[in-house]
Amino acid sequence: MGNRDYNVFFNTHTVSGIIISIGLYVIFFAGAFALFMNNIDHWEANVKPEGFVLIDYDKTIARIAAEGYDMHGRNLSIYEHDGGVNVYSAPLKDTILLKSKLSILDSSEARGRIDLHLDEKTYQKSTNQALSQKTLGTFLYELHFFDQIPTVGFYLAGLVAVFFLFAIITGVIVHWRKIVSNFFTFRLKSSLKILWTDAHTALGVIGLPFQMMYAVTGSVFCLLVVISNPINAIIPDENGKTILEKVTPVYSPEAISINNKIDLILSDFSNNKIESVYAEIHNYHDENAELEIYVSTEDIESVFNYTKMVYRLSDWKLQEYKPASEAPPYAEASWDFIHIIHFGDYGGIFLKVLYFILALLTCVVVITGVMVWLVARDKKSYSHKAKFNKSVGAIYLGSCLGLYPAIAFMFLLTKTFPAQMEHRFAWISWMFLAFWVGYTVYSYIIKSYFKINRNALFLAGVMGILIPVFNGIHSGLWFWKSLQLGYSDSFFVDLTWLICGMVTLLIALKLQPQRQKQT
């Protein structure tokens, strides 16, 4: 490669990486925790992880209707989660509200989004604030694709994923000739620039397949609708179905009792331990209404370890069937495969722990990349931009490194605020944001990279150690006895925070400032 081409790829890699660095760090750091969102939710609510719970679908549908929602044409997702029944339906569009004296909602609310958590015994709205509203695990999951930013957050995360893929490809091109030798090179006693460069390159190579996978799958998840619409207009299939309909098929249903049919379906799985059941009712009240049901068992011989059935509700005719031993059709299989590898749903807890470690390593790659950029500009030739570069660096590092103690702070808050407190999670969310923004502002004021790093680690370390203490005081589930009592998720989360807190605090106390020579 000539010098000109090398410089083009190098500068492209640097610019694209710097532009997305904060967003990318948030995606991977929050995403690392989101891998264990169910465990975190169990820890927050002080509940034991339960096995499969059979849902009363008729009562669930009756409760939704009783709440006053317009049910005509609804696509309903119904599944068990955290000791209750979750129901979700996107807002209705271009439909006429069915007028009823029973309706307690106005037109916009009745046609709006349904996002309910019902008690699994009474099928009333759950009174547990930690479950019926927002949960910590769900919040972190949504944070990793910027869902808190209205309308554009999801697409912004997709653009970050695309630029991340771009940065990976240009980075591989830049380092290709020395990618093996650089992997084994780590010069701890050299200058700061060389130290950060070696760390950035070595850790980048270690996580390369992992990072590439997330860049591709994240792009597809967040930008599928955007890229599919123009393609659909150009390339319809022979049946008139769009590409999006192939990937996320659309079906149609009507109001009918479905409990007996689901009982009959599940009886065929008596020889297997059912892990989960997920049901969707499409186009409720429509004459061609259908029930789509997925049944997962603990058999892990197949990657696509679920049985899928689609029935037309008017006559219970089987429209589609996929046994667990077979792969689904290509279009659906590709979507399922992307989902499976993105969430690590194919290798149990040990794979998710590996994903967690690799996600944190990716965060280190982001930080070291920023440090390479900053140290490279700590020269006399950049003295006219020294103040600007210092400010930008402080904001970048404060925003990224401040997320760690902010999340630890959020864990502490969930064990501080009473579960029945009104607007509990709204307060927790705002206090999390205030802490994070506050640390970024503090970083901008002090403009000391060493102090920004050390203080973030110190705060996170102290709060990480306090998290199991707060949980023990709040719930009585001290980690040394929670496992014996069957609260495995409480034990897992507490022990993880205790270890992470101790290691982080030790690193913070051992850190020593280093000076970069002016050149």
Side-chain angles (χ1 to χ4, degrees):
M1 186 188 303
N3 288 335
R4 182 180 180 279
D5 292 337
Y6 177 87
N7 289 334
V8 169
F9 282 114
F10 181 83
N11 291 330
T12 303
H13 173 75
T14 302
V15 172
S16 59
I18 290 295
I19 290 174
I20 65 171
S21 58
I22 295 178
L24 190 63
Y25 187 95
V26 173
I27 287 173
F28 274 97
F29 200 85
F33 287 88
L35 289 166
F36 303 99
M37 59 179 293
N38 290 331
N39 308 87
I40 293 172
D41 287 346
H42 292 159
W43 172 87
E44 179 186 1
N46 304 317
V47 297
K48 297 179 181 179
E50 298 181 359
F52 165 68
V53 177
L54 183 60
I55 295 173
D56 189 322
Y57 293 90
D58 294 339
K59 284 186 178 179
T60 300
I61 294 172
R63 168 47 52 192
I64 302 169
E67 290 293 326
Y69 289 99
D70 178 7
M71 299 293 285
H72 189 75
R74 284 280 186 184
N75 293 332
L76 301 168
S77 297
I78 304 173
Y79 55 98
E80 188 276 334
H81 180 67
D82 282 344
V85 179
N86 276 10
V87 183
Y88 177 82
S89 176
L92 289 174
K93 296 180 179 179
D94 302 323
T95 60
I96 300 175
L97 178 66
L98 298 179
K99 300 295 183 181
S100 170
K101 295 181 180 179
L102 298 177
S103 178
I104 57 174
L105 301 175
D106 63 30
S107 176
S108 61
E109 290 178 310
R111 296 173 58 189
R113 174 184 302 182
I114 299 175
D115 192 359
L116 297 176
H117 187 92
L118 307 179
D119 185 275
E120 64 179 6
K121 296 180 181 178
T122 64
Y123 285 84
Q124 301 293 320
K125 278 188 183 180
S126 177
T127 56
N128 188 335
Q129 294 288 346
L131 295 178
S132 62
Q133 297 183 16
K134 190 73 74 175
T135 62
L136 180 54
T138 303
F139 179 88
L140 294 173
Y141 168 69
E142 293 174 349
L143 179 62
H144 105 282
F145 54 83
F146 310 152
D147 193 55
Q148 286 81 4
I149 303 176
T151 309
V152 300
F154 193 68
Y155 303 113
L156 182 61
L159 290 175
V160 171
V162 170
F163 276 97
F164 183 40
L165 180 61
F166 194 57
I168 291 173
I169 294 172
T170 53
V172 170
I173 293 173
V174 168
H175 295 288
W176 180 252
R177 293 186 63 181
K178 295 183 178 181
I179 198 166
V180 175
S181 60
N182 285 349
F183 176 73
F184 293 99
T185 302
F186 210 96
R187 294 159 285 187
L188 292 173
K189 296 183 180 181
S190 298
S191 66
L192 283 178
K193 181 181 178 180
I194 293 177
L195 175 63
W196 294 127
T197 301
D198 287 349
H200 183 72
T201 305
L203 295 177
V205 173
I206 291 173
L208 182 59
F210 173 82
Q211 294 158 13
M212 180 70 77
M213 178 271 290
Y214 266 112
V216 174
T217 57
S219 301
V220 172
F221 274 135
C222 297
L223 298 179
L224 176 64
V225 175
V226 174
I227 64 176
S228 65
N229 287 339
I231 296 177
N232 287 339
I234 301 173
I235 314 176
D237 73 351
E238 65 278 4
N239 298 318
K241 283 192 173 183
T242 65
I243 291 176
L244 186 59
E245 287 174 329
K246 289 181 180 180
V247 177
T248 54
V250 177
Y251 302 100
S252 318
E254 102 183 45
I256 190 172
S257 176
I258 62 176
N259 280 351
N260 292 339
K261 186 62 179 180
I262 288 185
D263 289 343
L264 184 61
I265 291 171
L266 297 183
S267 66
D268 294 335
F269 295 87
S270 57
N271 295 328
N272 302 93
K273 188 172 182 180
I274 297 176
E275 193 172 66
S276 64
V277 174
Y278 175 80
E280 291 187 1
I281 301 174
H282 299 274
N283 294 331
Y284 190 82
H285 275 149
D286 189 88
E287 61 181 357
N288 293 315
E290 292 179 350
L291 167 70
E292 183 176 353
I293 183 168
Y294 296 80
V295 182
S296 298
T297 64
E298 293 187 353
D299 178 15
I300 57 173
E301 294 181 0
S302 171
V303 174
F304 304 102
N305 182 38
Y306 63 86
T307 299
K308 174 185 175 182
M309 292 152 284
V310 179
Y311 291 90
R312 188 167 57 206
L313 294 182
S314 59
D315 56 8
W316 286 116
K317 182 178 180 180
L318 184 64
Q319 303 293 99
E320 184 179 345
Y321 176 74
K322 184 206 82 70
S325 57
E326 296 181 6
Y330 175 77
E332 188 176 340
S334 60
W335 178 256
D336 287 349
F337 183 71
I338 289 173
H339 186 280
I340 289 169
I341 64 173
H342 187 90
F343 292 97
D345 289 337
Y346 60 95
I349 188 67
F350 293 105
L351 180 70
K352 290 201 172 187
V353 170
L354 178 61
Y355 268 37
F356 181 84
I357 295 172
L358 289 173
L360 296 183
L361 283 180
T362 304
C363 292
V364 177
V365 172
V366 174
I367 290 295
T368 53
V370 172
M371 292 307 301
V372 170
W373 184 83
L374 291 173
V375 173
R377 280 151 183 78
D378 190 13
K379 300 177 180 179
K380 292 181 180 178
S381 56
Y382 285 95
S383 58
H384 62 291
K385 292 185 178 180
K387 187 175 181 180
F388 173 79
N389 291 337
K390 200 77 172 177
S391 298
V392 171
I395 293 173
Y396 270 60
L397 292 179
S399 300
C400 293
L401 297 173
L403 182 59
Y404 186 15
I407 289 178
F409 180 58
M410 199 174 192
F411 271 77
L412 288 178
L413 291 176
T414 60
K415 294 299 179 179
T416 304
F417 287 20
Q420 304 304 325
M421 175 181 174
E422 189 176 2
H423 306 303
R424 171 181 177 271
F425 210 87
W427 280 103
I428 292 174
S429 302
W430 280 110
M431 291 179 72
F432 158 81
L433 181 61
F435 184 100
W436 190 11
V437 172
Y439 194 84
T440 303
V441 173
Y442 162 77
S443 301
Y444 174 77
I445 293 173
I446 65 171
K447 293 184 176 64
S448 169
Y449 302 156
F450 169 74
K451 290 182 179 180
I452 293 170
N453 183 27
R454 183 197 61 189
N455 295 346
L457 293 176
F458 180 81
L459 290 171
V462 171
M463 287 189 284
I465 294 173
L466 289 176
I467 287 171
V469 177
F470 272 51
N471 185 38
I473 296 172
H474 175 269
S475 64
L477 294 174
W478 298 96
F479 69 89
W480 56 80
K481 65 178 184 180
S482 57
L483 187 60
Q484 296 177 342
L485 296 174
Y487 294 88
S488 56
D489 289 329
S490 182
F491 170 80
F492 172 75
V493 173
D494 278 349
L495 187 62
T496 300
W497 268 115
L498 182 62
I499 294 174
C500 290
M502 293 174 65
V503 172
T504 302
L505 184 59
L506 181 62
I507 293 173
L509 296 175
K510 292 289 186 180
L511 282 179
Q512 296 294 330
Q514 293 183 346
R515 296 186 179 277
Q516 171 75 0
K517 294 181 179 180
Q518 295 287 326
T519 57

